Amino acid sequence: MADAFDRLGYGTYKLADGEECAEGVAHAVDTGYRHVDTAQGYDNEASVGDGIDRSGVDRDDLFVATKLSTDNLSYDDAVETARASRDRLGVDSIDLLYVHWPINSYDPAETLPALDDLVDDGVIDRIGLSNFEPDQLDEAIDRLDHDLFAHQVECHPLLQQETLREYAVEHDHWLVAYSPIARNRVADVDALREIADAHDATPAQVSLAWLLSKERVAPIPKAADVGHVADNWAAREIDLTADQIARIDALDRGERVVDFEEAPWNAA
């Protein structure tokens, strides 16, 4: 069980199972990342575990998160597949387990007790939710016996999630930001390019620095390229001015990278 949660994590979405993922994770950990994020649906948990083994860092010093797929949210399936994820990752317990989406087999009466029991049984250490709407968060927090540690959603300068960020602060959990550079759409934004030039940085680095400037926000950029892994890590050193933060705050377009008809925010 990791003692500390590192705000800048390493995402593994679309990192192919096998060498690409294992080498990517190993390089990220050796670069400095201590928070690694995956999911059952990424089909790369075993490779994430392999990458951790290849790194020069003790597994106990890392924070490893994964997510239950939407077909695995009945009580029995959640309990069984969480144990399988733990074994694939090669950890004694999973630092953080999310419900990936509150759709398909998600049933608060079954899924949430499974999460509580997984904590009680030592299979997982912390509970997370992902892609929930505020009313769904309300219900889950009310039902859970254990505290909610994190809520993971798409969040970047073009989709700033102010309501959910405020919710995280109010309820004392982390908002973990996936797609934090909007699959590099941020590179096309004039204001971000100008701010980046002022810091001898990239728009992607500025976007990560902006997220890190916000209370209770933890971005998890995904990168396979060795240079991008290092560049993302270096974003921690960028100190945005108050005027620059305010300028980025004004960029919100509600523009989603991840969107589909069944998504919770599209529900009637």
Side-chain angles (χ1 to χ4, degrees):
M1 175 178 175
D3 293 327
F5 173 73
D6 197 320
R7 288 185 64 189
L8 184 61
Y10 180 69
T12 63
Y13 175 63
K14 286 198 173 178
L15 283 183
D17 187 41
E19 195 64 19
E20 180 189 36
C21 181
E23 281 300 308
V25 169
H27 174 68
V29 172
D30 289 338
T31 298
Y33 293 83
R34 295 295 178 266
H35 169 194
V36 179
D37 180 273
T38 184
Q40 292 176 347
Y42 301 169
D43 293 323
N44 62 11
E45 289 174 326
S47 294
V48 169
D50 185 20
I52 291 170
D53 285 340
R54 296 186 193 186
S55 76
V57 176
D58 190 285
R59 188 179 293 273
D60 290 340
D61 293 330
L62 301 178
F63 188 101
V64 181
T66 191
K67 310 176 195 73
L68 293 168
S69 293
T70 58
D71 292 336
N72 295 332
L73 299 177
S74 70
Y75 181 91
D76 289 343
D77 287 344
V79 168
E80 179 180 351
T81 64
R83 292 177 182 274
S85 288
R86 177 191 60 181
D87 294 342
R88 283 191 294 268
L89 289 164
V91 295
D92 292 333
S93 62
I94 298 168
D95 290 295
L96 173 60
L97 180 69
Y98 295 93
V99 172
H100 205 159
W101 292 90
I103 59 176
N104 295 355
S105 65
Y106 177 69
D107 180 350
E110 289 212 16
T111 309
L112 301 174
L115 295 175
D116 279 326
D117 288 350
L118 286 164
V119 174
D120 292 339
D121 292 342
V123 178
I124 69 174
D125 299 322
R126 302 168 185 85
I127 293 171
L129 304 172
S130 185
N131 298 301
F132 278 52
E133 288 290 276
D135 61 328
Q136 295 171 316
L137 288 172
D138 288 340
E139 180 180 21
I141 289 172
D142 185 59
R143 282 180 174 269
L144 285 167
D145 293 332
H146 293 281
D147 290 339
L148 177 65
F149 181 81
H151 179 217
Q152 185 173 140
V153 293
E154 179 181 347
C155 186
H156 46 73
L158 307 181
L159 179 69
Q160 298 190 6
Q161 300 282 24
E162 183 177 3
T163 297
L164 291 173
R165 285 191 286 116
E166 291 175 351
Y167 191 106
V169 172
E170 178 184 353
H171 291 271
D172 197 29
H173 59 254
W174 289 97
L175 185 135
V176 175
Y178 71 75
S179 296
I181 62 172
R183 297 185 187 164
N184 213 31
R185 292 182 189 177
V186 296
D188 298 324
V189 180
D190 289 343
L192 292 174
R193 287 202 300 263
E194 291 166 9
I195 294 168
D197 287 345
H199 289 274
D200 192 23
T202 65
Q205 289 175 313
V206 167
S207 297
L208 294 173
W210 174 78
L211 286 164
L212 290 168
S213 77
K214 300 302 183 183
E215 187 177 0
R216 306 294 292 180
V217 174
I220 50 168
K222 169 256 177 180
D225 180 86
V226 169
H228 290 162
V229 171
D231 288 346
N232 290 343
W233 187 246
R236 297 158 59 252
E237 307 303 321
I238 297 174
D239 189 14
L240 298 172
T241 67
D243 285 346
Q244 288 170 340
I245 291 172
R247 191 176 178 192
I248 299 171
D249 288 346
L251 295 176
D252 193 5
R253 305 173 184 171
E255 183 177 323
R256 293 186 182 275
V257 171
V258 178
D259 198 11
F260 56 97
E261 186 177 352
E262 296 80 14
W265 49 84
N266 291 327

